[in-house]
Amino acid sequence: MFKTLGKATKISVLSIWFVFTIFPLYWMFLTSIRPVREVTKKFYYPHANSTLDSYRTLFKQYAFGTYIKNSFVVSFAASAFVIFIGMLGAYALARYKFKGKSQIMLVFLITQMIPGLIALAPLYLLLSKVHLLNTLFALILCYVGGMVPFATIMLRGFLQRIPPELDEAALIDGCNRFTALFRVVFPVALPGIAATFIFAFVQCWNELFLAMVLIDSDANKTFPVAERSFIGAYYIEWGGLAASVMIGIIPTVVMFGLMSKFMISGLSAGIVKG
Amino acid sequence: MAASVHKLVRKDGKKSHNILAPLWFLLPALILVAIFIYYPVFATANMSFKNYKLFDQSNIFYNGFENFRGIFKDLHFHRIIQNTVLWVSVSLFFQFFIGFGLALYLKPKFKFSGLYQGIIFIPWALSGFLMGLVWKWIFDDNLGVLNDMMLKAHLISTPIPWLSNANWAMAAVIIANIWYGVTFFVIMILAALQGVPNEILEAAELDGCGKAKSLFLVIIPYIRPTLILIVLLRIIWITNFPDIIFGMTSGGPNEQTHILSSWLVQKITYDQDWGSGSALGLLMLGVLFIFTIFYLLATRLEEDSEG
């Protein structure tokens, strides 16, 4: 009897959490397909007069195509770049023994304690000195800089699990350290690299405050910053906001959904045991 | 690259001949970290002793501890500290226990468990700011669906002022934060649980441990180091996470739902008072630093006395 009771509890707990998780997004979806005049009405299921008007507004009235493209460029470039830099550092930390290694690890680990927000003002001033304000490049640089420690630590965890004999063999076959790393180790470490890449991509895609401070011109806005254009002082355009939220969550949800199973082993190997 | 002539470090720990080779590999990472993470810390420390207002650039000068004094004397300072402690402790408590429970349930595979995980992990992939806006829409006093549902279910007779009353608003942002952060714990704890060797569990079963007993006597002690680490990481992370509050209330009504990090954002972006914002950032850094040291010492001491 206890067994069935336990099973019933399990099923109800899992169901409740499922509904709780999904409901806000379901509600946002319903809001996004309501006619603009009826956006505040509370139908709990798609209604006969559902419309895609709110979605059309995004691309007609607002330049959401541009914002999403900007977000893609920034997130993709920053993630790719941080993987490259991180792989180099991780390789040194995983394969060499040298004086100061634990100090360098500490330099990376301490950064996890530093509130990223305190960098807003200094980086604004720094980037304005080198005339990079208002460029996507500035954003890419900042994101790469901010993510280097976590990427390096995480990738180090993966590299440590690859036998050193592998790159040793590559060296004997005439590779140098650099080509051994990218031609031989890289493919073997690919699952871990993919996990790190997705983790980085999601962070960049969702970053708001740096993008808000560093980018001023409409043409270079990223997606989360553009969300703010729906919010007026006294009024929020909920239809457009809902539609843009639905579109804006697609890339990371798809990426994550495809990989979620293996993210568990990936993330834990990199972070917890790293 | 010249490094190719140097031998690899083997598992037996033979030293590399060249000290510079690994540093070359680490150089790009170190330079970036120096410029984009450590330089801002020093710049912030410097700026926190200045009268530095972005809109009054001709009037920048060192003003001693004036910014810090301003923060401590601020009308809302006590409320903000209170909020920060609530925000971190209540969010963490529920995120941890819900996450732990779900992870225990999800460890044995069942039909569609992969799909189930994929779906309940979704919040992790979403922007905190956007989800703040989504929850704002749900909690809205008049238009929100939550009040509508509760009214229809006769749980309440008048709408709850979720976002216009300071205490309700604080509850609302914390609920949203719990929703957002459980995923992290499920992922991390599930991974840790999967790392517990089956032999240990089987041995415990043979010794007559029931489920509850083996959880507390075998599983939890085994994954304890992981738990300690992820709780620390999470405390720091939640403290530095203003996105949901920024989306839901922007600190309102009347600054009553600010936490330290959202207050910092307000000072930097809206007030453009960078001196005061920097001072606040420096204070936060100091508090987190001291907290981390105490946390690590406390957990280490406990472990020593046990062992």
Side-chain angles (χ1 to χ4, degrees):
Chain A
M1 192 203 123
F2 280 119
K3 216 163 191 182
T4 35
L5 193 69
K7 204 168 179 193
T9 323
K10 175 174 174 170
I11 291 173
S12 36
V13 167
L14 289 180
S15 313
I16 290 170
W17 191 258
F18 185 84
V19 172
F20 183 55
T21 302
I22 222 65
F23 182 77
L25 299 173
Y26 174 68
W27 190 249
M28 225 45 191
F29 170 69
L30 288 184
T31 307
S32 75
I33 57 170
R34 274 179 218 146
V36 177
R37 280 160 192 273
E38 293 173 31
V39 89
T40 59
K41 291 217 172 124
K42 295 174 196 77
F43 299 122
Y44 287 81
Y45 44 87
H47 209 247
N49 58 4
S50 294
T51 155
L52 293 177
D53 279 352
S54 291
Y55 289 89
R56 283 188 203 104
T57 322
L58 292 185
F59 298 96
K60 273 189 193 155
Q61 206 172 318
Y62 300 94
F64 260 79
T66 311
Y67 307 142
I68 287 173
K69 193 199 82 203
N70 289 341
S71 272
F72 257 112
V73 169
V74 170
S75 308
F76 193 85
S79 310
F81 206 41
V82 85
I83 293 285
F84 178 71
I85 310 263
M87 276 296 273
L88 292 176
Y91 187 73
L93 292 171
R95 287 291 194 265
Y96 287 91
K97 271 200 172 167
F98 54 96
K99 249 191 179 166
K101 181 170 157 180
S102 53
Q103 282 84 346
I104 289 181
M105 279 299 284
L106 199 63
V107 164
F108 288 138
L109 286 172
I110 287 178
T111 61
Q112 304 303 303
M113 224 163 41
I114 300 171
L117 296 169
I118 67 173
L120 291 174
L123 288 182
Y124 176 92
L125 294 176
L126 186 71
L127 289 160
S128 81
K129 262 184 212 144
V130 291
H131 303 290
L132 280 177
L133 278 187
N134 245 328
T135 62
L136 294 180
F137 183 62
L139 219 46
I140 294 170
L141 277 179
C142 291
Y143 290 172
V144 172
M147 295 191 303
V148 156
F150 109 80
T152 308
I153 295 169
M154 198 163 154
L155 289 168
R156 171 179 171 265
F158 294 118
L159 291 186
Q160 273 175 334
R161 296 196 300 178
I162 295 171
E165 287 77 19
L166 188 75
D167 19 330
E168 222 165 303
L171 291 183
I172 292 166
D173 287 348
C175 280
N176 60 39
R177 276 305 174 86
F178 193 76
T179 49
L181 172 58
F182 283 99
R183 288 212 194 121
V184 181
V185 180
F186 195 94
V188 182
L190 207 57
I193 291 169
T196 315
F197 182 90
I198 292 179
F199 205 70
F201 190 95
V202 168
Q203 271 186 57
C204 298
W205 184 266
N206 293 334
E207 203 284 331
L208 172 69
F209 299 114
L210 265 169
M212 223 169 88
V213 170
L214 296 181
I215 307 283
D216 201 31
S217 75
D218 199 52
N220 284 336
K221 266 186 194 162
T222 57
F223 170 77
V225 181
E227 288 298 317
R228 299 178 69 231
S229 42
F230 295 111
I231 307 168
Y234 304 101
Y235 174 75
I236 295 179
E237 202 185 320
W238 285 110
L241 186 77
S244 66
V245 167
M246 293 321 290
I247 287 185
I249 67 179
I250 290 172
T252 51
V253 167
V254 168
M255 248 187 187
F256 193 46
L258 291 175
M259 309 284 287
S260 72
K261 240 182 171 172
F262 121 102
M263 289 289 284
I264 292 182
S265 51
L267 283 176
S268 64
I271 290 177
V272 180
K273 289 165 200 156
Chain B
M1 200 178 270
S4 60
V5 295
H6 300 292
K7 284 185 181 160
L8 283 157
V9 177
R10 294 170 169 278
K11 278 179 183 160
D12 57 22
K14 235 188 253 173
K15 287 205 172 166
S16 170
H17 295 219
N18 189 348
I19 307 175
L20 286 179
L23 290 182
W24 280 114
F25 277 102
L26 278 162
L27 198 61
L30 288 173
I31 291 176
L32 282 166
V33 170
I35 296 175
F36 290 97
I37 301 181
Y38 284 98
Y39 161 73
V41 173
F42 291 106
T44 295
N46 184 34
M47 204 186 277
S48 63
F49 295 103
K50 277 182 182 173
N51 180 54
Y52 198 123
K53 301 201 168 67
L54 195 61
F55 50 84
D56 190 12
Q57 300 235 28
S58 56
N59 205 13
I60 293 168
F61 55 90
Y62 282 100
N63 63 354
F65 287 91
E66 203 45 53
N67 293 322
F68 295 92
R69 223 169 282 145
I71 287 169
F72 291 124
K73 272 196 195 156
D74 192 285
L75 203 60
H76 304 293
F77 181 71
H78 287 283
R79 173 84 195 186
I80 289 169
I81 294 291
Q82 214 180 56
N83 285 346
T84 308
V85 172
L86 267 180
W87 166 259
V88 175
S89 55
V90 178
S91 304
L92 182 82
F93 180 87
F94 284 102
Q95 286 178 6
F96 181 87
F97 283 104
I98 296 172
F100 206 130
L102 290 173
L104 283 175
Y105 276 151
L106 289 175
K107 200 203 160 200
K109 295 261 179 295
F110 51 88
K111 224 182 175 184
F112 303 123
S113 63
L115 182 67
Y116 183 85
Q117 279 178 26
I119 292 174
I120 66 156
F121 288 176
I122 284 177
W124 182 86
L126 306 178
S127 138
F129 172 61
L130 256 62
M131 291 310 115
L133 294 170
V134 169
W135 281 102
K136 181 193 179 84
W137 180 224
I138 288 172
F139 276 113
D140 193 283
D141 296 1
N142 305 312
L143 307 173
V145 63
L146 184 63
N147 271 339
D148 186 60
M149 285 196 293
M150 289 172 85
L151 284 169
K152 276 179 185 155
H154 298 288
L155 290 171
I156 49 174
S157 52
T158 49
I160 295 177
W162 284 109
L163 297 179
S164 52
N165 171 289
N167 294 333
W168 283 112
M170 214 44 226
V173 293
I174 289 176
I175 290 171
N177 194 31
I178 294 168
W179 174 87
Y180 188 76
V182 163
T183 305
F184 172 85
F185 280 103
V186 182
I187 294 178
M188 287 300 173
I189 295 174
L190 193 52
L193 289 176
Q194 282 167 353
V196 181
N198 269 328
E199 299 83 57
I200 301 185
L201 295 174
E202 280 159 17
E205 207 173 317
L206 282 179
D207 286 347
C209 273
K211 270 197 173 160
K213 236 181 172 182
S214 76
L215 173 64
F216 286 104
L217 296 178
V218 181
I219 297 175
I220 291 181
Y222 191 88
I223 62 172
R224 217 184 98 110
T226 310
L227 294 180
I228 287 175
L229 186 67
I230 58 179
V231 166
L232 173 65
L233 284 176
R234 215 46 190 180
I235 290 174
I236 295 171
W237 198 87
I238 297 175
T239 312
N240 292 329
F241 179 63
D243 303 47
I244 282 184
I245 292 182
F246 194 72
M248 272 179 91
T249 65
S250 302
N254 187 26
E255 318 275 304
Q256 294 292 298
T257 58
H258 266 309
I259 57 170
L260 287 171
S261 51
S262 66
W263 200 27
L264 171 66
V265 170
Q266 159 136 353
K267 280 176 184 293
I268 300 286
T269 59
Y270 288 104
D271 307 348
Q272 306 204 325
D273 184 347
W274 286 9
S276 176
S278 298
L280 185 57
L282 198 65
L283 281 174
M284 284 177 62
L285 181 61
V287 170
L288 285 174
F289 196 80
I290 293 167
F291 171 80
T292 303
I293 290 170
F294 272 100
Y295 180 92
L296 290 175
L297 281 178
T299 49
R300 171 81 58 80
L301 283 178
E302 205 183 308
E303 233 148 59
D304 286 349
S305 64
E306 274 172 12

